[in-house]
């Protein structure tokens, strides 16, 4: 397979590096991404089973008993649920305010200009969280409740370049997959966010040039259905009374947004990238650099940002 050699200076400017790679390279990258995801998923099977039992206990899922006899009495007291709710009530006071973010000035500040600037920044950050990110409060409550039950919670904070706003989303633990033995996320070989995405969102990103056109499933190697089943996800769905959509026309696509390391410039050293792969067909939809931050992603307000930076520079000259 002939490998395409790219320059880092060109890569950081591309909204989708996948457009510059050959179909053979994309197929290999997609296969590696899905195989790595499955491998990471396998390392935490025992952890997922333990947490699935914790979820069932906390949400009081009624299950049919077979011991000491089939259909015997099954009573579950909500002790864990009450403890989790009390924890949530106590910790929620930390964010029960309109001023969520606080910025501390550093260094000498005799005239108080740094302190005033820090206060303005904190006010603006709080506005972004509470007003621009409408789901922040609900996501924050879910993260705290998850931490009380499962011992940890994941929040994904990022700048949405398409909408031009900052977002901070709660990720259910069953949808965030990393090697169980990883000690530092910054040094992890892979960290994968599993997402259910409907056709319309995929089409929007395709028209913006962020995704490659999606191939029909019949033209790409498929993965057996259920290979990546998660005991934790099954337990959560059961507790919520959810059933998976079986109609292929209505079912969302399972996309893997994987933070990984790739050597696309062929210099023997891997750089950090974000790769979006369709799980069932292993098709790579997008690759974007996650190093540097100047023109490497599509943003609708880039021109306004450059204008404000120029005005700020002119004011200080």
């Amino acid at each position: 397979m002939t490998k395409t050699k790219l320059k880092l200076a060109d890569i950081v400017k591309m909204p989708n590096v996948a457009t510059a790679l050959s179909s053979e390279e994309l197929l290999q990258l997609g296969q590696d991404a899905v195989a790595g995801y499955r491998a990471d998923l396998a390392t935490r099977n025992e952890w997922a089973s333990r947490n699935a039992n914790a979820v069932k206990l906390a949400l009081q899922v009624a299950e049919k008993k077979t011991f000491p006899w089939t259909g015997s009495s099954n009573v579950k007291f909500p002790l864990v649920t009450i403890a989790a709710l009390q924890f949530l009530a106590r910790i929620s006071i930390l964010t029960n305010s309109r001023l969520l973010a606080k910025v501390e000035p550093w260094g000498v500040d005799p005239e108080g200009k740094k302190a005033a600037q820090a206060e303005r920044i904190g006010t603006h950050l709080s506005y972004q969280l509470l007003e621009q990110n409408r789901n922040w409060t609900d996501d924050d409550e879910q993260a705290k409740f998850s931490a009380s039950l499962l011992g940890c919670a994941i929040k994904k904070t990022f700048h949405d370049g398409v909408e031009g706003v900052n977002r901070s989303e709660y990720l259910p633990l069953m949808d965030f997959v990393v090697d169980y033995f990883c000690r530092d996320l910054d040094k992890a070989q892979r960290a994968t966010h599993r997402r259910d995405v409907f056709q319309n969102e995929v089409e929007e990103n395709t028209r913006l040039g962020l995704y490659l056109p999606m191939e029909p499933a019949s033209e790409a190697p498929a993965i057996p259905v259920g290979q990546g089943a998660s005991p934790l996800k099954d337990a959560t769905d059961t507790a919520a009374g959810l059933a998976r959509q079986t109609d292929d026309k209505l079912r969302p696509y399972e996309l893997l947004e994987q933070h990984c390391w790739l050597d696309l410039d062929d210099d023997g050293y891997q750089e950090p990238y974000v790769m979006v792969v369709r799980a069932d067909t292993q098709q790579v939809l997008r690759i974007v650099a996650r190093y540097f931050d100047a023109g490497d992603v599509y943003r609708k307000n880039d021109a306004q940002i450059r204008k404000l930076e120029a005005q700020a520079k002119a004011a200080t000259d």
Side-chain angles (χ1 to χ4, degrees):
M1 179 180 65
T2 303
K3 189 171 183 179
T4 305
K5 291 186 178 181
L6 303 174
K7 296 182 179 179
L8 295 182
D10 297 328
I11 289 176
V12 296
K13 299 177 183 179
M14 296 180 182
N16 189 356
V17 185
T19 58
L21 301 177
S22 67
S23 57
E24 292 82 4
E25 289 174 301
L26 291 176
L27 178 59
Q28 185 62 55
L29 289 173
Q31 291 175 345
D32 292 344
V34 175
Y37 166 72
R38 302 294 180 189
D40 292 341
L41 202 61
T43 64
R44 64 178 207 168
N45 280 338
E46 185 177 348
W47 170 88
S49 298
R50 291 198 307 267
N51 282 279
N53 292 331
V55 169
K56 291 179 182 179
L57 184 62
L59 300 182
Q60 302 173 59
V61 177
E63 296 179 295
K64 188 175 181 180
K65 291 188 66 175
T66 58
F67 180 83
W69 58 81
T70 302
S72 59
S73 178
N74 187 8
V75 178
K76 289 188 177 180
F77 291 99
L79 299 179
V80 175
T81 309
I82 293 173
L85 291 175
Q86 289 183 349
F87 170 83
L88 180 61
R90 287 172 170 79
I91 199 174
S92 292
I93 196 173
L94 297 176
T95 52
N96 187 21
S97 169
R98 299 294 298 173
L99 186 61
L100 295 176
K102 183 178 180 180
V103 180
E104 293 286 346
W106 281 60
V108 180
D109 187 23
E111 299 180 4
K113 292 183 178 180
K114 291 183 179 180
Q117 184 181 29
E119 184 177 355
R120 292 194 300 271
I121 293 174
T123 301
H124 183 66
L125 289 173
S126 299
Y127 163 76
Q128 288 180 312
L129 290 174
L130 292 174
E131 301 300 331
Q132 292 185 335
N133 188 0
R134 299 287 180 168
N135 297 325
W136 186 89
T137 302
D138 291 339
D139 284 353
D140 189 60
E141 293 288 298
Q142 291 184 59
K144 293 170 182 172
F145 191 69
S146 173
S148 66
L149 286 178
L150 306 179
C152 61
I154 301 295
K155 292 198 75 175
K156 177 182 176 182
T157 303
F158 61 100
H159 179 78
D160 186 339
V162 176
E163 296 295 332
V165 298
N166 294 329
R167 300 195 182 280
S168 182
E169 301 176 352
Y170 161 69
L171 300 188
L173 288 177
M174 70 283 292
D175 291 337
F176 180 76
V177 179
V178 68
D179 189 326
Y180 180 78
F181 301 98
C182 172
R183 299 174 62 89
D184 185 351
L185 285 180
D186 290 334
K187 297 180 180 180
Q189 187 66 26
R190 290 171 302 273
T192 307
H193 175 198
R194 194 206 67 85
R195 303 172 56 211
D196 288 328
V197 180
F198 287 94
Q199 171 64 34
N200 212 45
E201 182 179 342
V202 173
E203 184 63 24
E204 287 178 358
N205 288 330
T206 302
R207 295 189 181 190
L208 285 172
L210 301 181
Y211 285 0
L212 294 177
M214 188 172 286
E215 301 171 357
S218 59
E219 297 182 7
I223 296 175
V225 177
Q227 183 176 339
S230 166
L232 182 56
K233 187 168 184 62
D234 292 342
T236 306
D237 290 345
T238 300
L242 301 177
R244 291 191 175 276
Q245 178 59 252
T246 56
D247 189 339
D248 288 340
K249 295 182 179 180
L250 301 177
R251 188 169 53 192
Y253 297 109
E254 182 184 12
L255 301 187
L256 306 178
E257 181 183 307
Q258 190 171 98
H259 289 232
C260 55
W261 299 77
L262 304 172
D263 182 17
L264 298 183
D265 60 336
D266 199 25
D267 65 348
Y269 182 81
Q270 295 179 330
E271 289 81 26
Y273 292 88
V274 179
M275 182 163 51
V276 179
V277 182
R278 181 176 167 181
D280 60 341
T281 65
Q282 304 180 358
Q283 181 195 358
V284 175
L285 299 178
R286 188 187 188 199
I287 302 175
V288 65
R290 55 185 175 103
Y291 50 91
F292 306 120
D293 193 20
D296 59 334
V297 293
Y298 174 88
R299 294 181 233 189
K300 69 177 184 181
N301 59 347
D302 263 357
Q304 181 182 3
I305 292 174
R306 301 290 87 80
K307 181 180 178 181
L308 292 174
E309 288 177 346
Q311 291 176 350
K313 186 177 184 302
T316 56
D317 290 343

